[in-house]
Structures are given as structure tokens and as C-alpha cells.
Amino acid sequence: MPTTRLTFMASPRLQDFASGLSIAGLLLPEAVAYASIGNLPPQAGVIALFAGLLCYGLLGSSRFAVVSATSSSAAVMAAATAVMANGDLALRLALSFGLILLTGVFFVLAAMARMGNASDFIAKPVLRGFAFGLTLVIILKQLPKMVGVHPGHGDTLYFVVDLFQHLTEWNQPGLMLGMASLATLWALSRWRRVPGALVVIVTGIALAHWVDLGAHGIETVGPIHLKLLAPSLPDLSRTQWMRLAEVAAAMAFVLYAESYGSVRTFAIKHKDGISPNRDLLALGAANLASGLFHGMPVGAGYSATSANEAAGAQSKLSIWICAAVVLLMVVTLLPAIALTPEPVLAAIVIHAVSHSLNLNALRPYFEFRRDRLVVIASILGVLALGVLDGLLAAIGLSLMMTIKRLSNATVSELGRLHDGHDFVSTKIHPDAAQIPGILILRPETPMFFANVDPVLTRVRQALVQHASTTTLIVSLEESPDLDGTCIEALREFALEIQASGKHLMLTRLKSRVQDVLLKASIPGLRGPALSDLSVDDAVRVAQSLHDAPNE
């Protein structure tokens, strides 16, 4: 019995150890590769890897999430800083680190404000369309490392045209090496426990020892100078910090949406509990640490998190094992990694982001005949406007969709269903009976400053159509709170109803709504006129008040 127990207890630890070894072989090559996407030196990716693993390992809530540099944030950072730096390399580096720091600050502020569900404001069709378009851009921008032709255009469309106009100048050995590496990665992806990225890098380094790659026009990564500098803030002007803040807010949105999606997916799969606000704090600390030590922006990428779970991780111990193994690899293998051919790194990037080119993720929107144009607009926005403007346009599109839905002024008329206690929409259930002398209405969206006037206009129109109404019951079950504009509008409406000789009752009020309306002391809205009762109970109260004067 004791032996069996020891074996049972040791098994999860062994699985964590095996998983840590496996993902270390994946993460270090990807960190170096992603640094090239962000136009940063390779050591920036390594620093970001340590910052993500250690900070999330200490503060994060998921046992599977792996926080490291991500391709999407690297691409956004590269696009933003290239525009602002205007060719100044030192300024571009300072802007990059400033952007990462501000992203971390936004994460911490969001955690303090308990905004764990903030990523829900980015609609999934928009996010998936943006990810699809961004993946296309990243893949296209990796091709020059394989073919040795570097177009001068930053615009994606002109970039592609320029690249293929020089088709006859493409470096065939570099292209063959890149495609062979890519084929190897796809072949090895069948075995999740095999670190394919490490395998192709080791193969590429060996090839660099045996063959003079420079003679064939193939470049290598070059020296990696990993020095842990004292944490410092970049020297930027107030105007530059303000401009970076706009991009940082957008980057935090996308990073958290990607990270929360990864964390939530595996939490649901394994029935684990998660803490969104705790994860916000962990991501904030990781990005602050990475920015202070001149790393890259970090998030919980789906591919790394999926690899950790597939390798058999049982707890956060796998992350600590991974960090230790990466440290050992950095100490012993960093000089060798400098010999990695650029086409091999490009293949690693293309393979890592290729999971986002999944048409199955977009198919439901075309099958549902919903949000198809949104998906297409998000993809074209990245391709036509660029990564940065495409990102801002995608977030703007999401917010517009949110505002449009919240501004919906639909008001349903309710009736009693089959002489029971349920009151339902008469439009959906034509057989629902109306109560004589009582009109029951329900706004179908939360009321706030942008839709309160259109909603009350619909209510007035319904009153005109039901001239015999003596009591109006409005169910506010969809409204968790009311702002000042709503309260003012309800005050005017209540006075208007009172002047017409009718009675107004607001029912199914949430506690915050009821409290704020009681404090407002609106004439005619006191006592039973403000309640958290069901519609059926409100109807009974209205009928008793109507019958009382006649008794």
C-alpha cells in the first residue's frame, strides 16, 4: 500500500517535469523568433520569456497557462513604434519598452478596477477576423527572411507586390531551407511531446557548422548578448507617452482577450476555477517586468498553453521546471543559437501562428448568416490599413457593435400566458392575454443614457395605441443600474403619466435600481410603484389599488 501511494503521488510531479522539459524546447526558439517580428534584438524575447513564466507562475490562476512573448503583440508593437520612430533605431527601442510598460500599467489598473470581463467588449467575430488577417501579415513578413529579398514598403499590399516583382531574385537555397524546416515542424506536430522548434534549430545550427551558409546568401541570427541591466524607464517626452498610451490600451485589450481565451478554454475542459482579475494583475506584473528589463510584451498564447496541457502538465510546477530548463539552455546554448539560420526562425514563426489560419473558426458566422461582414471587414482592415490601424479599427468596430446593441430601443408588450403566472411577449406568443386597463411593457436592453429617450418614446407610442389604459407597468429586469440621464428621463416621464391621470409602476427592479430611484424621490414613484416583485405580483397590486376606491 505505501509503495502504491508513493507512485500515485509521484506521477503528477513526473508529468509536470516532462511537460516543463517539452515546452522549454518550444518556448526558447519561439521567443527568439518573435523578437524578430517585433524588430527587437533576440535577447528581448528571452527576457520576456523569463518575465512571463516567473510573474504568472507567482500570481496567475491557471495551472496550464504559459505566459511568454506572442506574435500578435510583437507585430502590433513593431507597427506602432516604426510609425512613431520614423527610422530612428534608438527611439524605436525606447518607444517599444515604453509601450510594454504602459500595457502593464493598464493591466494593473484594470485589475484594481476589477475589470476581469473587459475583453468581452471585443466581439469574437472581430477578434477572429483580426487574428486571421494579422496571421497573414506575419507570414508574409517572414518570407523575406527565406528568400533574401527585402521590400522597402511597409504597407502590406505594396509589400506583397514588391516581393513578387523580384521573384527572379529570390534566394533558392534559403527558400528550400525554410520550406524544409516548415515541413519538419508540421510533421513533428503529430507528437506533442517532441519540441519540433528545438529540433529544427539544432538541425539548422548543425548545418551552419558544416556548410558556409553565407556563401549561399543565408543569414544567421547573430550574437545574442543577454545582459540583465538595471530596471529603467525609457527617456520619452510627454507627447510620446500620450501617443503610446493609445496603442497600449488597444494592445492590453487584445492581449487579454487572447490570454483569457486560452485560460478559460482549458479551465472549462478540466473544470478548474479561474480568477480573471488575478490574471489581469499577473499579466500586468509580467509586462511591467519585461518592459523594465527591456523585453517584449507577453500574454498567454494558445499554442504554448495547449502544448503545456497536451504534454501532461498537472500543476504550475511545469512552469517552474520550464523556467529552470530555459535558464540552463540560455547559459549553455545561447552562443550556439546565434548560428541559427534566419529561414529556420521564419519557419518557426510561420508554424507557430498557422493555427490562426483556421477557416473552421470563421465558418459558423457564414453558416449563421450573422457577422459575416464584420469578419471580412476585420480581415481586410488589417491587410489594407496595416497592423496598428487595423487593430484600432477592429476594437472600434467591436465598440460600435456593443453600442448599437445597447442602444436598441425594442420594447415588448407582455400578456398572461394560459391563465398562469407567466407574462410573456405578445409578439412571440399571440395567445398571451392582455389585462384590461393594465398595459405591461418591458425594454429588451439595459436602459442607459444612449437609449433611454428612444425607449420611453416607444412606451409613449404604446400608451397612445392603448388609450383605455389606467395603469402602466414597466418591467426593468434587463437594467442592472441606472445613470443620471435615465433618472432624469424617468422623472419627466412619471410626471407626464401622473398629469394624464394614469398610474405608473416599475417592477422587477434590481436592488441598485430600486435604491437609486428611492433616493431620487420621484413624484408618483413611491411604495408599491417601485418594487422587485414579479410582473404577476405587480398586476395583483395594480388590480387591488384599482379596486380599493370602488369598495
Side-chain angles (χ1 to χ4, degrees):
M1 287 295 290
T3 304
T4 303
R5 185 179 179 183
L6 285 173
T7 303
F8 177 79
M9 292 177 64
S11 180
R13 293 176 182 267
L14 289 175
Q15 287 179 293
D16 284 330
F17 188 81
S19 177
L21 285 173
S22 177
I23 61 173
L26 166 72
L27 292 178
L28 183 57
E30 282 192 356
V32 175
Y34 289 165
S36 66
I37 298 177
N39 290 329
L40 291 178
Q43 57 265 27
V46 179
I47 292 170
L49 177 55
F50 281 117
L53 292 175
L54 297 178
C55 290
Y56 194 85
L58 287 170
L59 302 173
S61 66
S62 171
R63 60 187 170 120
F64 298 111
V66 176
V67 173
S68 60
T70 69
S71 58
S72 58
S73 61
V76 171
M77 180 183 65
T81 55
V83 172
M84 294 176 62
N86 197 24
D88 188 331
L89 178 59
L91 177 58
R92 182 169 57 76
L93 291 175
L95 290 169
S96 297
F97 303 137
L99 177 58
I100 300 165
L101 286 170
L102 285 176
T103 301
V105 169
F106 277 118
F107 273 128
V108 172
L109 291 176
M112 294 172 63
R114 306 189 67 79
M115 297 175 62
N117 294 323
S119 65
D120 292 342
F121 283 94
I122 303 183
K124 281 195 169 104
V126 172
L127 188 61
R128 287 174 178 165
F130 171 76
F132 192 93
L134 180 62
T135 300
L136 288 175
V137 172
I138 291 174
I139 291 174
L140 289 170
K141 292 296 177 72
Q142 295 305 305
L143 290 180
K145 296 177 183 178
M146 291 187 180
V147 301
V149 173
H150 299 275
H153 294 284
D155 181 271
T156 304
L157 300 180
Y158 287 108
F159 175 90
V160 173
V161 171
D162 197 359
L163 181 65
F164 283 91
Q165 279 181 341
H166 294 82
L167 186 61
T168 56
E169 302 173 21
W170 284 16
N171 184 355
Q172 298 302 319
L175 180 60
M176 291 173 62
L177 177 58
M179 298 306 292
S181 300
L182 195 55
T184 303
L185 288 167
W186 274 325
L188 293 177
S189 64
R190 299 178 183 179
W191 297 278
R192 291 290 189 93
R193 296 176 185 271
V194 177
L198 188 60
V199 170
V200 297
I201 277 193
V202 170
T203 305
I205 293 171
L207 183 64
H209 276 291
W210 297 331
V211 179
D212 183 5
L213 296 180
H216 297 278
I218 301 175
E219 298 179 358
T220 58
V221 171
I224 301 176
H225 305 288
L226 187 59
K227 294 181 180 179
L228 191 61
L229 303 174
S232 60
L233 295 175
D235 184 15
L236 299 172
S237 67
R238 183 174 180 273
T239 302
Q240 289 168 332
W241 281 112
M242 294 299 292
R243 289 182 64 189
L244 283 177
E246 300 173 6
V247 184
M251 182 180 284
F253 251 115
V254 171
L255 265 177
Y256 186 61
E258 180 181 17
S259 301
Y260 185 59
S262 301
V263 169
R264 186 172 178 271
T265 296
F266 293 101
I268 292 174
K269 180 178 178 180
H270 294 272
K271 299 180 181 178
D272 291 344
I274 57 173
S275 174
N277 293 307
R278 180 177 161 188
D279 286 337
L280 278 172
L281 182 62
L283 290 171
N287 280 282
L288 285 172
S290 184
L292 286 172
F293 289 101
H294 299 175
M296 293 178 61
V298 295
Y302 183 82
S303 58
T305 301
S306 175
N308 189 33
E309 187 261 356
Q314 299 296 310
S315 70
K316 283 187 181 180
L317 179 60
S318 66
I319 300 301
W320 296 108
I321 297 294
C322 175
V325 174
V326 168
L327 179 60
L328 181 62
M329 293 171 66
V330 166
V331 171
T332 58
L333 299 179
L334 214 54
I337 293 177
L339 298 175
T340 305
E342 287 282 4
V344 173
L345 275 188
I348 291 173
V349 171
I350 293 172
H351 178 261
V353 302
S354 61
H355 70 273
S356 295
L357 290 181
N358 184 4
L359 291 175
N360 288 329
L362 307 180
R363 183 175 293 122
Y365 305 113
F366 292 86
E367 292 176 349
F368 302 156
R369 296 181 179 270
R370 289 291 185 274
D371 299 325
R372 293 169 295 176
L373 294 179
V374 172
V375 172
I376 294 172
S378 298
I379 296 173
L380 294 180
V382 179
L383 297 177
L385 302 177
V387 173
L388 178 59
D389 291 334
L391 168 64
L392 297 177
I395 292 178
L397 186 58
S398 280
L399 295 178
M400 285 176 60
M401 291 171 63
T402 302
I403 292 171
K404 178 183 177 182
R405 291 193 172 111
L406 289 175
S407 301
N408 182 18
T410 301
V411 176
S412 297
E413 184 177 338
L414 306 184
R416 190 189 297 275
L417 186 63
H418 306 313
D419 295 327
H421 299 286
D422 296 325
F423 281 79
V424 295
S425 169
T426 56
K427 183 176 181 180
I428 299 176
H429 300 273
D431 55 335
Q434 297 178 349
I435 308 300
I438 300 176
L439 177 61
I440 309 167
L441 301 175
R442 180 181 64 204
E444 295 297 347
T445 53
M447 286 175 57
F448 72 117
F449 64 89
N451 69 0
V452 63
D453 285 335
V455 165
L456 292 181
T457 298
R458 296 290 178 88
V459 173
R460 291 185 180 96
Q461 291 171 350
L463 277 172
V464 171
Q465 295 172 0
H466 297 78
S468 61
T469 298
T470 58
T471 300
L472 171 64
I473 298 176
V474 180
S475 174
L476 293 183
E477 60 194 85
E478 299 294 336
S479 299
D481 202 353
L482 295 177
D483 55 41
T485 304
C486 288
I487 296 169
E488 289 181 12
L490 285 172
R491 178 188 292 274
E492 295 175 4
F493 181 70
L495 291 173
E496 180 183 324
I497 294 296
Q498 192 176 44
S500 68
K502 295 178 172 59
H503 299 286
L504 173 63
M505 296 179 66
L506 303 182
T507 192
R508 299 209 65 183
L509 301 180
K510 301 293 191 292
S511 58
R512 296 188 65 173
V513 175
Q514 191 170 13
D515 290 344
V516 74
L517 289 175
L518 286 172
K519 291 177 182 177
S521 299
I522 299 175
L525 286 181
R526 296 186 181 90
L530 294 175
S531 74
D532 58 355
L533 299 175
S534 67
V535 174
D536 183 55
D537 290 333
V539 169
R540 294 178 188 276
V541 171
Q543 288 175 330
S544 65
L545 292 175
H546 180 268
D547 295 338
N550 300 325
E551 294 178 355

